[in-house]
Amino acid sequence: MDAGGGYDEAELFGGLAAEQWAVASRADPRRDASFYREIIRSQDGPALELGCGSGRLLLTYLAEGLDVSGSDISRDMLTACREEAARLGLEPTLYEQPMQELAVPGTFRTIYIPCGSFACVMDRQEALQTLRRCHDHLDIGGVLAFNVFPVGINYAEPPGDDFPTPWAPTIQVDLPDGDRLKVSTRFTALDRIEQTWQEERRYERYAGTALVRTEIRTGQGHWYFRNELLWMLQLAGFAPDAITVTGDLTPAQFGPEHTYTMAITAVR
């Protein structure tokens, strides 16, 4: 299994996927908003969201008067963010780039990566480079915050090889033009040694009962364990006593579908 070379991280979030995220973001309960908001406010300065997508958190914070910019790898997602911002009367500062290539003007009091998006960086060296670039873009005393969702795998059981898994419906949304979008997901590979998975997401657009468009988008993810993240953050330049890992945040903070998550904060 390819753990990263040749994988297009933007592929999973373009086209119909960006349309789905834009609609879903409007109705999202934003259970994680309070976690990152508290950090941004406590730092009392500019913040940068990596993986801002269609603006689920970014536009929420801008509407509250917080100084937040955003960056994302997907041009389609950033287009959706700008369209939603215009509807709300907001003018976000947005950058199109992979988080492992972070290079934006200035420094920040807070950099945050919500939704477990750090897992989208497949290559281990590029994941470390992401943390290093975050470190370099922080003011002294600034905070990096992100969360990851550990995969529930029992290493005592033999690995399953029945891939791809069957298509499973995940979400259905009503698009602004009256069409409906049905999304299904299946896993195509899992590597317990590399700690990676591969998946496909099928997007089916319907006008009434007629299927008018189908897209299948491929993606991957890389899960991390606590001590891995601690070592990576230290290699990136964060002092050991400046790193905090909270290993059991409540569903009220990150949503009932993720009853277990690790939230990480690191102070430069």
Side-chain angles (χ1 to χ4, degrees):
M1 171 180 175
D2 185 354
Y7 165 54
D8 180 1
E9 294 167 36
E11 166 65 17
L12 196 59
F13 302 104
L16 290 178
E19 293 189 45
Q20 178 254 308
W21 281 102
V23 173
S25 290
R26 291 188 181 184
D28 186 272
R30 293 161 174 75
R31 293 185 178 91
D32 56 343
S34 60
F35 174 77
Y36 295 109
R37 180 189 292 113
E38 182 178 341
I39 296 171
I40 295 169
R41 285 181 171 169
S42 69
Q43 286 298 299
D44 191 24
L48 175 67
E49 178 177 338
L50 301 185
C52 67
S54 57
R56 182 183 68 92
L57 291 182
L58 172 67
L59 299 182
T60 298
Y61 296 149
L62 281 178
E64 296 171 355
L66 297 176
D67 182 5
V68 184
S69 303
S71 177
D72 201 276
I73 192 174
S74 170
R75 181 170 300 178
D76 290 349
M77 292 284 272
L78 291 175
T79 296
C81 184
R82 290 188 179 96
E83 291 174 351
E84 179 67 5
R87 187 183 72 86
L88 298 172
L90 301 172
E91 297 182 1
T93 298
L94 300 174
Y95 304 96
E96 180 187 340
Q97 56 187 230
M99 64 180 75
Q100 62 268 36
E101 297 177 10
L102 176 63
V104 299
T107 56
F108 302 86
R109 294 299 306 169
T110 306
I111 297 177
Y112 65 102
I113 313 172
C115 299
S117 296
F118 184 69
C120 293
V121 183
M122 294 299 297
D123 182 82
R124 287 183 296 275
Q125 291 303 315
E126 290 188 354
L128 176 57
Q129 181 69 4
T130 299
L131 299 178
R132 284 176 171 152
R133 288 181 179 263
C134 287
H135 178 273
D136 293 344
H137 279 77
L138 284 172
D139 294 334
I140 301 299
V143 173
L144 169 64
F146 61 102
N147 70 292
V148 294
F149 301 114
V151 176
I153 291 179
N154 185 349
Y155 276 80
E157 294 178 354
D161 296 316
D162 189 15
F163 293 105
T165 60
W167 287 106
T170 56
I171 193 173
Q172 177 175 303
V173 299
D174 295 323
L175 299 175
D177 62 2
D179 286 0
R180 288 178 299 111
L181 189 61
K182 294 182 178 180
V183 186
S184 303
T185 303
R186 68 177 181 179
F187 292 96
T188 56
L190 174 72
D191 190 321
R192 298 181 181 210
I193 302 302
E194 291 292 337
Q195 297 167 210
T196 58
W197 73 88
Q198 294 178 335
E199 64 179 295
E200 291 180 339
R201 297 181 187 175
R202 184 177 64 197
Y203 297 83
E204 298 174 307
R205 185 174 190 146
Y206 288 84
T209 59
L211 177 62
V212 296
R213 184 177 173 187
T214 300
E215 291 180 2
I216 295 179
R217 299 196 163 268
T218 60
Q220 300 181 353
H222 191 147
W223 74 87
Y224 296 90
F225 296 105
R226 174 184 180 275
N227 287 343
E228 282 182 283
L229 292 171
L230 290 173
W231 278 114
M232 290 171 68
L233 285 162
Q234 291 178 43
L235 288 172
F238 294 95
D241 59 359
I243 304 168
T244 301
V245 179
T246 303
D248 189 11
L249 295 183
T250 67
Q253 289 175 295
F254 281 90
E257 70 277 19
H258 296 298
T259 57
Y260 181 81
T261 184
M262 286 191 294
I264 301 94
T265 58
V267 181
R268 180 174 179 184

